[in-house]
Amino acid sequence: MTECFKQDAIGKRTRYYQSMIDIDSLMKGQDYSELLDSYVLFICNYDPFEKDKDVGFGLPCYTFKNTCVENTAVSLDDKSIKVIYNASAYKAVEDKDVRDFLHFVMTNDPGENDFNKLLSDTVERLKDNDKFRSDYAAMNLHDRDIKKAAKEEGAKQQAIEDAKALLQENIAPETIAKCVKLPLETVLELQKEIVAQA
């Protein structure tokens, strides 16, 4: 298993995958009423939903269906379901097979479960398959996520450097925060650092 890091906009990711499933399942000329039931399944090694900052709700599984906000007894019945597993809460899962699988996701230890052993063996074989690795790399959103995170970190570092330069010119921290799009607290901390170094 590969190490995962927290993803932003998991809801929009499920929406994107749902749209891809729908496009693939309808051949040209077919009517939308012929759409099949669909499931988007995410398996995370962290709790993807935060109740408070860095504290999740702790559910091992989150299942989403489209229901009416005003009356949850009314269902849109669009036959699409999104299921997101939180493998870090595997101990709370009642179903032994699911619990064993989520344990495998968290630890990379297939244990005595036959399905997990088969999956582990398959993953190891695929790691040695050049064509599979090439195809996977071509469609891998994980790489895109890493690049996006690096780009965001680079932009943040540039904003910090810009803020420091503007502070040296005695520009008001409130103005700097607006210009470089940093929180005012961050600019004030940078100002304290500059004063301490002077």
Side-chain angles (χ1 to χ4, degrees):
M1 296 290 163
T2 58
E3 183 179 346
C4 295
F5 53 90
K6 285 200 173 188
Q7 304 291 333
D8 59 346
I10 198 163
K12 288 185 179 177
R13 285 171 182 271
T14 65
R15 181 174 154 190
Y16 169 77
Y17 292 130
Q18 181 65 57
S19 70
M20 299 305 288
I21 290 168
D22 291 344
I23 288 169
D24 284 348
S25 66
L26 274 188
M27 302 300 287
K28 190 171 184 179
Q30 284 183 297
D31 188 72
Y32 64 85
S33 63
E34 297 177 72
L35 279 171
L36 302 172
D37 291 11
S38 71
Y39 291 82
V40 174
L41 176 65
F42 278 70
I43 303 169
C44 304
N45 65 357
Y46 57 89
D47 194 331
F49 299 101
E50 290 184 351
K51 178 170 50 174
D52 296 313
K53 185 170 174 32
D54 297 326
V55 177
F57 285 89
L59 295 175
C61 182
Y62 299 87
T63 304
F64 297 92
K65 298 178 181 179
N66 289 326
T67 56
C68 178
V69 171
E70 291 77 12
N71 183 343
T72 56
V74 179
S75 171
L76 193 59
D77 196 30
D78 62 354
K79 306 297 184 194
S80 68
I81 299 174
K82 286 92 175 171
V83 180
I84 303 170
Y85 281 101
N86 166 19
S88 68
Y90 69 89
K91 292 178 182 174
V93 177
E94 290 184 23
D95 183 288
K96 182 179 180 343
D97 289 333
V98 175
R99 184 174 59 246
D100 288 350
F101 174 72
L102 294 178
H103 176 263
F104 171 49
V105 169
M106 283 303 296
T107 64
N108 208 22
D109 175 11
E112 297 304 313
N113 184 290
D114 290 338
F115 173 75
N116 293 344
K117 287 179 185 177
L118 176 64
L119 184 59
S120 182
D121 291 343
T122 303
V123 168
E124 290 306 314
R125 272 196 321 276
L126 289 174
K127 284 181 182 177
D128 295 330
N129 182 314
D130 290 337
K131 180 174 178 355
F132 174 81
R133 285 199 338 249
S134 174
D135 290 347
Y136 179 76
M139 59 172 251
N140 193 356
L141 292 176
H142 181 69
D143 290 347
R144 195 179 316 166
D145 292 334
I146 291 170
K147 288 177 186 172
K148 180 183 175 201
K151 184 177 178 182
E152 288 171 356
E153 184 59 30
K156 181 180 177 185
Q157 288 304 317
Q158 184 60 54
I160 288 171
E161 293 305 315
D162 292 345
K164 286 179 180 178
L166 292 169
L167 284 166
Q168 297 286 2
E169 299 297 323
N170 294 320
I171 296 175
E174 294 79 9
T175 303
I176 295 171
K178 287 179 185 174
C179 290
V180 299
K181 295 185 172 74
L182 281 175
L184 178 58
E185 296 77 21
T186 302
V187 176
L188 292 172
E189 285 298 318
L190 293 171
Q191 187 179 45
K192 285 179 189 175
E193 289 175 20
I194 289 170
V195 170
Q197 293 170 359

